[in-house]
């Protein structure tokens, strides 16, 4: 039987938040959001966690996660910014590195987002199904309305779907997504409230890893002189979709989302997570 892995992306810099939001106390028992996601993944049938971190935050993040994790935790280090760089090379590189440590199909999550049990259960069901095969992937989507905080700006990858309503045609990263005058807009213009967006809750076959690695290598060469360049996972997968290398099934299963991007997000996030059962220290 295949082993299912939860890949948790926890190497971010947290510039807008101002501290390590990966381990911020948000839950009712001072848990981080990833503590709750790991609990939900374990209940949905995941077998292990691969935690992607930077070396300079490894000890703090791993210690926090291992205190409550119901699953065995492995660690993959993503290189830090390095000389002349202001940030790591992005989530596409992080997932490519993690894929090499996954013996079978895997789910990808952000450490600073909480997705709820429904979305993870739907994704694990897909990973167990024959639809999970080389050249195929799944993405749990949310309407942008459900993932745009009351205040502040966020980045969202808006999805375009085929006429069947479930096959991803492409994704475009929108920066500066915010609420204004009862509507939602980004720097590129208005966004319909029901537009499906990616929150980086992916189901991937291990064969996707080498493709992401090749894209990341090319991106690093092409942007060697840009200290701020990074390749987001939605942008990389969009390239694979448009090249005909990957077919992505959209799963509109996202019913819950809590995230922290800015310090002001902590109060509403804690209020939302107060309704969720705490994750005990092991």
């Amino acid at each position: 039987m295949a082993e299912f892995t939860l890949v948790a992306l926890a190497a971010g810099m947290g510039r807008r938040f101002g501290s390590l939001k990966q381990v911020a106390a948000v839950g009712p028992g001072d848990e981080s959001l990833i503590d709750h996601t790991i609990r939900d993944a374990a209940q949905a049938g995941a077998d292990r966690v691969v935690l992607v971190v930077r070396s300079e935050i490894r000890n703090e993040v791993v210690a926090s996660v291992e205190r409550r994790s119901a699953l065995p935790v492995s660690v993959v280090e993503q290189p830090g910014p390095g000389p002349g760089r202001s940030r790591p090379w992005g989530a596409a590189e992080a997932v490519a590195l993690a894929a090499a440590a996954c013996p079978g199909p895997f789910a990808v999550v952000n450490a600073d987002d909480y997705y709820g049990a429904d979305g993870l259960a739907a994704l694990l069901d897909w990973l167990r199904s024959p639809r999970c095969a080389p050249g195929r992937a799944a993405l749990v989507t949310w309407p942008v309305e459900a993932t745009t905080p009351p205040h502040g700006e966020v980045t969202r990858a808006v999805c375009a779907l085929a006429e069947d309503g479930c096959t991803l045609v492409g994704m475009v990263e929108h920066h500066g997504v915010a609420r204004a005058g009862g509507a939602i807009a980004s720097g590129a213009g208005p966004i319909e409230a029901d537009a499906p967006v990616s929150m980086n809750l992916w189901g991937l076959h291990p064969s996707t890893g080498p493709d992401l690695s090749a894209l990341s290598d090319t991106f690093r060469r092409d942007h060697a002189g840009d200290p701020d360049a990074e390749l987001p996972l939605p942008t990389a997968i969009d390239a694979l979709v448009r090249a005909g290398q990957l077919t992505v099934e959209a799963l509109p299963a996202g019913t819950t989302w809590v995230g922290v991007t800015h310090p002001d997000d902590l109060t509403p996030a804690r209020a939302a997570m107060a309704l969720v059962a705490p994750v005990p220290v092991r």
Side-chain angles (χ1 to χ4, degrees):
M1 181 177 293
E3 184 173 315
F4 300 102
T5 303
L6 180 75
V7 171
L9 305 180
M13 302 289 285
R15 283 189 179 84
R16 288 176 289 183
F17 191 70
S19 61
L20 282 183
K21 59 182 177 177
Q22 299 94 317
V23 299
V26 183
D30 290 338
E31 309 93 336
S32 65
L33 293 177
I34 192 59
D35 290 331
H36 286 272
T37 297
I38 291 172
R39 192 258 306 277
D40 289 344
Q43 292 177 346
D47 297 291
R48 58 200 290 266
V49 178
V50 169
L51 192 63
V52 184
V53 298
R54 289 177 285 115
S55 60
E56 56 266 39
I57 63 173
R58 174 177 179 146
N59 291 344
E60 185 174 353
V61 174
V62 173
S64 175
V65 169
E66 287 185 335
R67 287 183 70 227
R68 302 177 193 267
S69 179
L71 298 173
V73 179
S74 300
V75 180
V76 169
E77 288 192 8
Q78 181 179 17
R85 295 274 308 157
S86 64
R87 63 187 68 195
W89 282 103
E93 178 189 65
V95 174
L97 293 169
C102 295
F106 58 97
V108 177
V109 299
N110 290 334
D112 55 351
D113 289 305
Y114 175 64
Y115 300 95
D118 291 346
L120 274 167
L123 191 61
L124 265 292
D125 285 345
W126 186 91
L127 290 171
R128 293 187 191 97
S129 76
R131 289 137 65 198
C132 179
R136 298 191 63 86
L139 169 66
V140 177
T141 63
W142 277 255
V144 69
E145 165 70 27
T147 71
T148 304
H151 308 287
E153 298 181 349
V154 293
T155 298
R156 296 288 181 260
V158 179
C159 304
L161 303 179
E163 291 185 4
D164 63 7
C166 63
T167 302
L168 187 72
V169 175
M171 288 180 292
V172 177
E173 284 267 354
H174 284 248
H175 300 278
V177 177
R179 298 180 184 272
I184 298 173
S186 73
I191 303 174
E192 294 293 329
D194 61 352
V197 297
S198 163
M199 299 304 296
N200 264 359
L201 181 54
W202 296 91
L204 299 177
H205 188 273
S207 61
T208 307
D211 293 332
L212 290 173
S213 182
L215 280 175
S216 296
D217 289 344
T218 299
F219 184 85
R220 284 196 302 271
R221 288 196 301 269
D222 291 347
H223 297 81
D226 185 346
D228 299 320
E230 61 180 338
L231 181 59
L233 184 57
T235 302
I237 289 185
D238 176 72
L240 295 177
V241 168
R242 294 181 186 277
Q245 295 176 256
L246 191 65
T247 299
V248 178
E249 181 178 347
L251 307 175
T255 59
T256 300
W257 172 82
V258 179
V260 288
T261 301
H262 307 273
D264 290 346
D265 296 333
L266 268 177
T267 297
R270 285 170 175 159
M273 295 304 295
L275 305 176
V276 181
V279 183
V281 174
R282 298 189 62 79

